[in-house]
Amino acid sequence: MKKSVLIVGGSIAGLTSALVLASAKNAELDFDITIVDDGKADLSAVAIYNVPFFPKGVQGKEIIEHTKKQIETLIKVNYVQASVEEISGSKGAFVAKSNNGEFKADYVILATGASRFDIKGLGDIVKPHELMNKPNKIRLATSGRQMVKDGIYASGLASGVTTMVTCAIGSAGEAACAVLSDIKGAVSIVHDTPTSR
């Protein structure tokens, strides 16, 4: 079975969600993943000192490039530079319109950060981000496992987690596991072992 997933946002949260989904690919399940990114990620302007296994002071741009290469060892991802303007449809039949074309997907992961959210079609889901000490930061209204609406999940800072790369990574993994669980119809966890690859 092949499932299509649209990830809006190509920084650490979007890429981590893609990596977790890619690592779950097996003989029964495959993915068609598209990451749409506007190139405005905050991560591109920082250095990281407090994430395990990241070299001390690693630049955000290096993290993004390294993670893309890691994903590519597992699955081919379609990267599109664009801004998603509207999302319509329902689980299994979402349509996202952007300034660079239209995308169809079974699932959507919103890894849009905490600075802004101007995608139409999802209702009044923008809320104040209570775990950031900067003004005018936002999160998306969610229920359950970071679900914005059936088949759409928030990932990273958009889900309301504390503004740290480690928190964004954890949230992104959870969003991907929520998608995997929905596909399976039961809790689904991807465990890597030396013999699983």
Side-chain angles (χ1 to χ4, degrees), residues 1-3 26-31 106 183-184:
M1 152 179 51
K2 193 165 198 174
K3 294 292 183 180
N26 58 36
E28 290 83 38
L29 180 61
D30 195 1
F31 292 97
D106 297 313
I183 292 168
K184 185 177 180 181

Short mmCIF file of all heavy atoms in Angstrom, two decimals, residues 1-3 26-31 106 183-184:
data_model
loop_
_atom_site.label_atom_id
_atom_site.label_comp_id
_atom_site.label_asym_id
_atom_site.label_seq_id
_atom_site.Cartn_x
_atom_site.Cartn_y
_atom_site.Cartn_z
N MET A 1 0.85 -1.16 0.00
CA MET A 1 0.00 0.00 0.00
C MET A 1 0.90 1.23 0.00
O MET A 1 1.87 1.30 0.73
CB MET A 1 -0.90 -0.07 1.24
CG MET A 1 -1.35 1.24 1.80
SD MET A 1 -2.44 1.13 3.26
CE MET A 1 -1.59 0.04 4.36
N LYS A 2 0.55 2.22 -0.84
CA LYS A 2 1.33 3.45 -0.91
C LYS A 2 0.46 4.60 -0.43
O LYS A 2 -0.68 4.75 -0.88
CB LYS A 2 1.80 3.71 -2.34
CG LYS A 2 2.87 4.77 -2.43
CD LYS A 2 3.55 4.73 -3.79
CE LYS A 2 4.88 5.46 -3.74
NZ LYS A 2 5.63 5.32 -4.97
N LYS A 3 0.99 5.43 0.47
CA LYS A 3 0.29 6.58 1.00
C LYS A 3 1.06 7.84 0.64
O LYS A 3 2.29 7.88 0.73
CB LYS A 3 0.16 6.50 2.52
CG LYS A 3 -0.72 5.36 3.01
CD LYS A 3 -2.17 5.60 2.63
CE LYS A 3 -3.08 4.51 3.16
NZ LYS A 3 -4.48 4.74 2.80
N ASN A 26 8.31 -0.42 4.20
CA ASN A 26 8.60 -1.85 4.20
C ASN A 26 7.87 -2.51 3.04
O ASN A 26 7.34 -1.82 2.18
CB ASN A 26 8.23 -2.48 5.56
CG ASN A 26 6.76 -2.28 5.91
OD1 ASN A 26 5.89 -2.29 5.05
ND2 ASN A 26 6.49 -2.07 7.20
N ALA A 27 7.80 -3.82 3.04
CA ALA A 27 7.19 -4.53 1.91
C ALA A 27 5.69 -4.23 1.79
O ALA A 27 5.12 -4.30 0.71
CB ALA A 27 7.41 -6.03 2.07
N GLU A 28 5.04 -3.89 2.91
CA GLU A 28 3.60 -3.64 2.89
C GLU A 28 3.25 -2.16 2.79
O GLU A 28 2.12 -1.82 2.45
CB GLU A 28 2.93 -4.19 4.16
CG GLU A 28 2.89 -5.71 4.25
CD GLU A 28 4.19 -6.29 4.79
OE1 GLU A 28 4.78 -5.68 5.69
OE2 GLU A 28 4.61 -7.34 4.28
N LEU A 29 4.17 -1.26 3.11
CA LEU A 29 3.85 0.16 3.20
C LEU A 29 4.94 0.99 2.52
O LEU A 29 6.13 0.81 2.79
CB LEU A 29 3.72 0.59 4.67
CG LEU A 29 3.39 2.05 4.94
CD1 LEU A 29 2.04 2.43 4.35
CD2 LEU A 29 3.40 2.32 6.44
N ASP A 30 4.51 1.89 1.67
CA ASP A 30 5.44 2.78 0.98
C ASP A 30 4.84 4.19 1.02
O ASP A 30 3.65 4.36 1.29
CB ASP A 30 5.62 2.32 -0.47
CG ASP A 30 6.83 2.97 -1.14
OD1 ASP A 30 7.54 3.76 -0.49
OD2 ASP A 30 7.05 2.69 -2.33
N PHE A 31 5.67 5.19 0.76
CA PHE A 31 5.23 6.57 0.83
C PHE A 31 5.64 7.36 -0.40
O PHE A 31 6.71 7.15 -0.96
CB PHE A 31 5.83 7.26 2.07
CG PHE A 31 5.29 6.74 3.35
CD1 PHE A 31 5.99 5.78 4.07
CD2 PHE A 31 4.06 7.16 3.84
CE1 PHE A 31 5.49 5.27 5.25
CE2 PHE A 31 3.55 6.66 5.01
CZ PHE A 31 4.26 5.71 5.73
N ASP A 106 -2.85 12.01 0.84
CA ASP A 106 -3.70 11.30 1.79
C ASP A 106 -3.63 11.95 3.16
O ASP A 106 -4.63 11.99 3.89
CB ASP A 106 -3.27 9.83 1.90
CG ASP A 106 -3.41 9.08 0.60
OD1 ASP A 106 -4.48 9.20 -0.05
OD2 ASP A 106 -2.46 8.39 0.20
N ILE A 183 -2.78 5.01 9.71
CA ILE A 183 -2.75 4.09 8.56
C ILE A 183 -2.98 2.66 9.04
O ILE A 183 -3.77 1.91 8.45
CB ILE A 183 -1.40 4.20 7.82
CG1 ILE A 183 -1.29 5.56 7.12
CG2 ILE A 183 -1.24 3.07 6.80
CD1 ILE A 183 0.09 5.89 6.61
N LYS A 184 -2.30 2.28 10.12
CA LYS A 184 -2.39 0.91 10.63
C LYS A 184 -3.71 0.64 11.35
O LYS A 184 -4.17 -0.49 11.43
CB LYS A 184 -1.21 0.64 11.56
CG LYS A 184 -1.10 -0.78 12.06
CD LYS A 184 0.13 -0.98 12.90
CE LYS A 184 0.24 -2.40 13.41
NZ LYS A 184 1.41 -2.59 14.25
#
